[in-house]
Amino acid sequence: MKILLLGPPGGGKGTQSKLLVSKFNIPQISTGDILREHVKEETQLGIEANQYMQNGELVPDNLILDMIKERLLKNDCNKGYILDGFPRTIPQAEGLDRILEKLNQKLDKIVVLDVKDNDIIKRMSGRRMHMESGRVYHIEFNPPKNEGLDDVTNDKLIIRKDDQPDTVKKRLSIYHKTTKPLIEYYDSKNIVFSIKGNKKIEDIHNEIITKIQNV
Ligand code: AP5
């Protein structure tokens, strides 16, 4: 199963991806998580990407496509994967088409999480994250068992630097201008379905599963 999750920043892509990983036992490929790992390790890519990420801007397409090409060749992708946060520009989608053609693969389902900007701003201000694993929480909507600590490792949770309100607004504006047009780009493939994101995390998950298995 090869699934692409599309949606605004803070729309719940990471949260839903983690649930799908448990359900289907396939890897989540989050370009945001991979980039944050590079930033932490201070690799050349991480150093280059960091300035864009902190400003809430997109990292250049060529860097992202090289990174994805390498990731999709790993053995754990043989059974399928969940693309989270990639592609987010038309050139990235075209690049993905070329990569998939070479690998003789195709996407099975594209899930669009439809969440209003005002809800996103509320969600981002309460998000807490475990850096190592990419696990995400919300102080109100999805709190950890112990305040401020990751459920699995007990490590301290952090607030992402790009979750500051001004940066969130910029990320949302880039989403509307640059990433949302991908819905139309993929529409003709007849594998796209949209889900209202203003529901409980578990309800959205169940709706995704039903649609994935029935469509
Ligand atoms: P990335 O990490 O991908 O950020 P994003 O797409 O902006 O998405 P987020 O991770 O912020 O949100 P999400 O949709 O995963 O929501 P989440 O599940 O956490 O990218 C970061 C940066 O890296 C980009 O800005 C860019 O610079 C760069 N980058 C990454 N990919 C790139 C690419 N392809 N090209 C170029 N640059 C790239 O949920 C958010 C919060 O809401 C959480 O607190 C969660 O608990 C809560 N929540 C989730 N669902 C619900 C619900 N149903 N109800 C209530 N609360 C909920």
Side-chain angles (χ1 to χ4, degrees), residues 66-80:
D66 286 348
M67 199 174 89
I68 278 287
K69 223 180 282 172
E70 196 183 307
R71 181 64 186 87
L72 291 182
L73 285 174
K74 294 204 171 151
N75 284 342
D76 65 341
C77 291
N78 290 345
K79 277 200 322 182

Side-chain angles (χ1 to χ4, degrees), residues 45-161:
L45 169 60
I47 292 165
E48 239 175 289
N50 197 20
Q51 48 179 328
Y52 297 100
M53 295 172 77
Q54 292 219 13
N55 286 332
E57 290 160 8
L58 294 182
V59 173
D61 292 333
N62 59 324
L63 298 180
I64 298 289
L65 282 166
D66 286 348
M67 199 174 89
I68 278 287
K69 223 180 282 172
E70 196 183 307
R71 181 64 186 87
L72 291 182
L73 285 174
K74 294 204 171 151
N75 284 342
D76 65 341
C77 291
N78 290 345
K79 277 200 322 182
Y81 41 80
I82 300 148
L83 294 177
D84 160 10
F86 169 86
R88 43 177 110 186
T89 65
I90 298 283
Q92 286 184 21
E94 290 168 347
L96 176 63
D97 284 346
R98 289 192 294 272
I99 296 170
L100 291 178
E101 203 181 321
K102 274 199 191 131
L103 295 175
N104 201 17
Q105 294 181 358
K106 64 180 184 54
L107 296 173
D108 295 299
K109 298 283 179 251
I110 299 176
V111 182
V112 179
L113 294 172
D114 180 12
V115 189
K116 298 226 165 12
D117 286 9
N118 281 346
D119 292 332
I120 299 281
I121 290 165
K122 244 186 263 164
R123 286 186 189 182
M124 300 295 231
S125 63
R127 172 159 62 184
R128 299 293 181 270
M129 183 172 183
H130 181 243
M131 270 300 269
E132 295 289 317
S133 65
R135 275 185 288 277
V136 281
Y137 302 87
H138 190 281
I139 51 174
E140 186 185 346
F141 307 127
N142 183 24
K145 288 181 194 130
N146 298 306
E147 196 183 323
L149 301 178
D150 179 54
D151 287 353
V152 179
T153 62
N154 242 20
D155 291 339
K156 251 187 150 178
L157 300 175
I158 59 123
I159 299 178
R160 266 170 52 175
K161 287 197 181 121

Side-chain angles (χ1 to χ4, degrees), residues 9-10 13-15 31 36 57 85 88 92 127 137 171 199:
K13 303 181 298 295
T15 302
T31 40
R36 276 185 288 279
E57 290 160 8
R88 43 177 110 186
Q92 286 184 21
R127 172 159 62 184
Y137 302 87
R171 287 162 65 196
K199 300 172 201 160

